Amino acid sequence: MSKLHTHPNIADPDGFYAELLAVHDGLTKAESDALNARLVLILSNHVGDREILSQALALAARTARAVA
Amino acid sequence: MNKIFETPLYAYRRSPDQDASRPVRHPVVIVGAGPVGLAAAIDLAQDGVPVVVLDDNDKVSFGSRAVCYAKRPLEILDRLGCGAPMVDKGVSWKAGKVFFDERQIFGFDLLPEEGHKRPAFINLQQYYFEEYMVRRVHEMAAAGAPVEIRGRNRVVALGAHDDHVRIEIDTPEGPYELEADWLIACDGANSGLRRMLGLDFVGRIFEDNFLIADVIMEADFPTERWFWFDPPFNRGQSALLHRQPDNVWRIDLQLGWDIDKEEEKKPERVIPRIKAMLGEDVKFELEWVSIYTFQCRRMENFVHGRVLFAGDSAHQVSPFGARGANSGLQDTDNLCWKLKLVIDGHAPESLIASYNWERVFGADENILNSTRSTDFITPKSEISRVFRDAVLDLAAGHEFARPLVNSGRLSVPCVYDEGPLNGPDAPGLPHRSRPGAPASDAPLADGWLMDRLGNRFQVLAIDADAPDRLEEGGIEVEILHLSAEDNPALADRYLGKQHSAVYLMRPDQHVAARFLSWDEAALRAALARATGRA
């Protein structure tokens, strides 16, 4: 069974993070939500592996922080 | 308005049963002369089982209703001897376009595989479909087949017993009673029989309304399925355009939940909507207008003693995907040969339980697909709309997103994987022809494979030694000897990596078991399993 990588894997973490925020610059909340959705779909297709995708979805769902 | 709606096809005639001193017993009574009931009647009668069909009406159903028929049901109709007029009259199609907002985002071609007698889909008004089936019933009856349709015979009461059913029927000349060894309930989504038995029909209700308008127009739209998400002419909703024979076009407009149905059906409301869609200058005439809502639900069991439910009475789906009438035809395809074996004493009554297993499996598959389509077409939350629109935005320029676009997953044949009647499989043979799957067509030197299959158990011996006959417990198995030499389609669909194969085929053209070579003991065991005797 394929296993989701959870060790650090991005060569330039600070640069990536800045770029991630930069694409949202000047967008409304609705535009940002749409961009995030497109990004999820693009990355998901790149991954492709259904097992990995299920593990990623589960990881994202279970690390939700309680919101007051 | 088309005359076909007004002409009685099976006018009420007094039956001698109405003058009998006590209720006459029939082997099989079918309630409902829609596509599913008529298919059941033809299937049983052409196999020699006497059937009486009761319908509370005497005409074809009003309006075009179910219009889209897939290849597998067309093959079933061929087996019933009425595929040809449907395909000749119907409009064959295989391509479509998807629009989002103001633009086309992509076109698709179902790219049907070569080497099949029947096309991927035809569109045909349900009234033609019923007319051709009724004509087939009348031809069979004229030739001496034991089948009759009794118009304006409404079942008003039902008493279920261990080995028969008693029904009370209302007619223009008053009530009478009948008994049936078996009763097949094909009386639609609002089944009166289901209600009389107090049976459940659980599932999910979708809070949405759709306007169907069939318009007659001379138009140069291509013969394709066109689907719009959020178009300018129907903001926030969906729309569908599909061609039918005789220049009739099906328009399906989503209206939303909070509407006045009677108001929306009025021509003065409908015509401006259609003009907004087609353009102010397009000349058209309204043939039929209806508003529907839908549910995705099924009965827990399709078999209740001697009462058997088939078609919409047993399960209901959204219309996206053409899974209503198409699945109903697969129901009776599955049921009738089993019923015939049980009636003839060649199989135990428990064989009928496999109808329940296999067709509940089929219904669940259809409900799952239909529910997913509906959730895509009508997003139920803000985030589901965000993702839906993201998919559509990406799909225009990026091929990867197109498989996620779900404007209806079109009906594909059901494969009874893990089914209770399935026998052994053999390694290296093609996955598509595994036990439980319907046969794939292939061209033969003198016609089509599908035209050679069905209506009895058969062995398909492909480049394998086999005797000329096999008989087991009163069931005669026909042996077909075929060669895949110089027939790449047959080799591809039935041999795969192997050089020979022996398939045991059911009367409904599904694979029961398969082997690499003739093995009489194994075939007899597989036949016993496929007939519920083991």
Side-chain angles (χ1 to χ4, degrees):
Chain A
M1 190 173 118
S2 337
K3 196 164 181 315
L4 181 72
H5 288 302
T6 51
H7 57 269
N9 195 34
I10 298 173
D12 166 26
D14 291 347
F16 162 72
Y17 193 76
E19 199 177 334
L20 177 63
L21 293 193
V23 295
H24 287 274
D25 271 350
L27 300 188
T28 63
K29 173 77 167 76
E31 289 164 345
S32 263
D33 285 349
L35 187 148
N36 279 337
R38 291 195 297 275
L39 184 61
V40 167
L41 294 167
I42 291 165
L43 293 176
S44 297
N45 184 68
H46 183 84
V47 171
D49 187 320
R50 279 294 283 112
E51 285 175 10
I52 297 289
L53 291 172
S54 292
Q55 290 168 42
L57 288 168
L59 176 60
R62 78 173 172 264
T63 45
R65 189 162 46 89
V67 180
Chain B
M1 180 54 74
N2 203 316
K3 272 208 219 24
I4 193 171
F5 299 131
E6 290 148 28
T7 318
L9 277 181
Y10 35 90
Y12 169 76
R13 287 209 330 254
R14 192 171 183 86
S15 160
D17 288 357
Q18 290 167 254
D19 300 312
S21 56
R22 62 172 312 270
V24 175
R25 174 84 69 101
H26 292 271
V28 178
V29 168
I30 295 166
V31 179
V36 180
L38 292 168
I42 295 168
D43 212 341
L44 290 165
Q46 74 177 10
D47 226 353
V49 178
V51 279
V52 174
V53 184
L54 306 175
D55 196 277
D56 56 7
N57 205 322
D58 57 5
K59 303 177 188 73
V60 293
S61 60
F62 188 73
S64 62
R65 301 181 63 171
V67 296
C68 193
Y69 297 91
K71 184 162 74 70
R72 175 64 197 146
L74 294 176
E75 291 167 350
I76 294 170
L77 293 165
D78 275 337
R79 189 175 63 69
L80 301 180
C82 42
M86 313 262 186
V87 176
D88 291 347
K89 178 73 185 177
V91 173
S92 297
W93 63 276
K94 61 187 180 73
K97 289 191 173 75
V98 177
F99 301 83
F100 178 39
D101 200 348
E102 296 196 2
R103 61 177 179 154
Q104 178 185 328
I105 53 172
F106 66 95
F108 65 86
D109 187 325
L110 298 170
L111 285 175
E113 189 179 58
E114 293 294 311
H116 291 257
K117 181 181 179 185
R118 291 309 181 196
F121 283 96
I122 64 162
N123 287 351
L124 181 72
Q125 293 89 321
Q126 184 171 330
Y127 48 79
Y128 281 129
F129 189 97
E130 291 181 13
E131 186 192 5
Y132 300 153
M133 294 192 100
V134 169
R135 192 189 297 164
R136 168 86 174 127
V137 168
H138 288 158
E139 283 166 8
M140 289 171 64
V147 56
E148 61 170 307
I149 309 177
R150 296 185 187 170
R152 300 179 72 189
N153 272 239
R154 178 194 293 274
V155 177
V156 292
L158 179 152
H161 303 271
D162 283 349
D163 63 348
H164 73 281
V165 174
R166 183 182 281 214
I167 48 179
E168 188 184 323
I169 300 156
D170 245 354
T171 76
E173 296 181 301
Y176 72 108
E177 291 190 341
L178 278 186
E179 288 183 351
D181 292 335
W182 296 91
L183 186 139
I184 310 180
C186 307
D187 56 343
N190 297 315
S191 170
L193 294 167
R194 194 181 61 224
R195 205 168 48 242
M196 287 173 211
L197 288 174
L199 297 169
D200 58 345
F201 199 36
V202 269
R204 191 169 147 195
I205 298 168
F206 290 86
E207 295 195 339
D208 214 332
N209 291 285
F210 291 80
L211 174 79
I212 285 187
D214 276 352
V215 304
I216 303 168
M217 63 175 172
E218 302 280 348
D220 50 9
F221 298 108
T223 306
E224 296 180 343
R225 180 183 198 261
W226 283 15
F227 196 97
W228 287 262
F229 292 98
D230 195 11
F233 57 83
N234 198 25
R235 268 299 167 210
Q237 313 285 357
S238 65
L240 176 70
L241 179 68
H242 233 176
R243 181 182 211 152
Q244 304 171 51
D246 305 338
N247 291 319
V248 175
W249 296 77
R250 160 67 59 87
I251 291 168
D252 201 324
L253 294 169
Q254 187 185 10
L255 297 181
W257 184 236
D258 195 17
I259 60 154
D260 181 337
K261 287 191 195 183
E262 287 314 308
E263 198 59 31
E264 291 296 342
K265 264 196 274 195
K266 291 182 178 163
E268 60 263 36
R269 293 281 303 157
V270 175
I271 288 168
R273 285 186 181 278
I274 294 174
K275 282 192 169 165
M277 177 174 178
L278 302 174
E280 279 296 324
D281 304 329
V282 176
K283 295 266 179 295
F284 64 87
E285 194 186 317
L286 280 181
E287 183 179 68
W288 179 59
V289 175
S290 173
I291 289 182
Y292 66 91
T293 57
F294 58 80
Q295 311 195 355
C296 285
R297 55 182 179 172
R298 70 163 169 88
M299 297 178 71
E300 196 180 341
N301 280 296
F302 299 173
V303 174
H304 289 269
R306 292 301 182 95
V307 183
L308 312 168
F309 288 83
D312 282 358
S313 71
H315 45 74
Q316 205 187 345
V317 292
S318 83
F320 303 107
R323 289 167 181 270
N326 283 312
S327 68
L329 292 168
Q330 292 175 73
D331 286 349
T332 57
D333 183 50
N334 186 288
L335 173 63
C336 289
W337 66 270
K338 297 173 181 174
L339 197 52
K340 156 88 174 160
L341 285 177
V342 171
I343 289 171
D344 288 351
H346 290 148
E349 197 172 322
S350 58
L351 178 61
I352 302 299
S354 72
Y355 163 70
N356 190 62
W357 193 99
E358 291 180 334
R359 292 316 299 163
V360 162
F361 180 85
D364 283 347
E365 191 173 272
N366 287 322
I367 288 169
L368 177 69
N369 276 290
S370 179
T371 302
R372 286 173 170 176
S373 297
T374 307
D375 284 341
F376 191 88
I377 292 165
T378 315
K380 296 297 183 295
S381 66
E382 195 186 330
I383 192 66
S384 68
R385 180 172 291 272
V386 167
F387 272 108
R388 201 280 304 268
D389 289 353
V391 166
L392 293 172
D393 279 330
L394 286 166
H398 306 282
E399 205 182 329
F400 86 82
R402 293 174 195 167
L404 296 171
V405 176
N406 191 343
S407 66
R409 295 287 180 228
L410 295 165
S411 174
V412 290
C414 185
V415 178
Y416 306 126
D417 282 318
E418 313 292 322
L421 305 184
N422 294 355
D425 196 1
L429 295 172
H431 185 65
R432 64 189 288 167
S433 301
R434 64 196 183 275
S440 298
D441 205 356
L444 300 177
D446 53 352
W448 296 97
L449 177 61
M450 289 311 276
D451 285 340
R452 306 273 300 273
L453 296 180
N455 297 321
R456 57 221 178 272
F457 274 96
Q458 292 168 303
V459 163
L460 208 53
I462 304 171
D463 296 317
D465 289 329
D468 289 326
R469 62 180 297 257
L470 178 71
E471 193 267 352
E472 169 77 29
I475 297 172
E476 183 73 32
V477 180
E478 185 192 20
I479 317 275
L480 291 176
H481 299 269
L482 297 175
S483 175
E485 264 179 64
D486 307 322
N487 190 338
L490 190 67
D492 177 59
R493 293 165 201 177
Y494 289 91
L495 293 183
K497 299 187 190 110
Q498 301 292 356
H499 300 288
S500 70
V502 172
Y503 283 78
L504 178 64
M505 306 299 303
R506 313 189 330 185
D508 59 6
Q509 302 167 325
H510 279 250
V511 176
R514 57 183 186 172
F515 311 89
L516 297 181
S517 59
W518 179 264
D519 178 339
E520 186 174 320
L523 271 162
R524 286 186 189 280
L527 184 65
R529 187 174 172 89
T531 51
R533 295 193 283 196

